Amino acid sequence: MKTKLRNYHAAHWDEPIIYELSRDAERAILVPEVDEEINKTVGDGILYIPESMRRRKKPQLPALSQPQVLRHFLHLAQEH
């Protein structure tokens, strides 16, 4: 008896871009404040970055929880 093979069918999502999933109250990672001991030793680390290379304003990053970020990239990896 011959086995009939089916065509491969990958998962398919219409995944929105990550900024569309963003919610103001969510954050995957909260960056901690600089430890006082490091601050005493190094000083203000920003001063080591040339003025011309410093950001003028904060980056507009999407706000998502870590599981949401992982799920988003998993869906992108599985799209075809």
Side-chain angles (χ1 to χ4, degrees):
M1 183 168 162
K2 202 171 189 185
T3 304
K4 184 177 178 184
L5 297 176
R6 293 178 24 176
N7 290 333
Y8 174 74
H9 295 285
H12 179 77
W13 284 275
D14 187 16
E15 185 69 13
I17 62 171
I18 201 162
Y19 288 95
E20 293 172 352
L21 300 171
S22 182
R23 295 189 184 109
D24 289 338
E26 300 280 344
R27 279 285 168 210
I29 297 174
L30 297 175
V31 180
E33 294 293 322
V34 177
D35 187 69
E36 192 174 319
E37 188 65 32
I38 294 172
N39 211 6
K40 283 181 188 176
T41 305
V42 177
D44 186 5
I46 300 290
L47 298 177
Y48 293 101
I49 301 172
E51 182 76 35
S52 63
M53 294 179 70
R54 294 183 200 168
R55 289 187 181 273
R56 305 285 181 256
K57 57 184 179 180
K58 290 185 177 185
Q60 303 256 329
L61 300 174
L64 293 138
S65 68
Q66 190 171 7
Q68 289 171 314
V69 172
L70 293 172
R71 192 168 30 254
H72 173 71
F73 284 103
L74 175 67
H75 288 173
L76 289 177
Q78 293 174 338
E79 279 189 354
H80 67 93

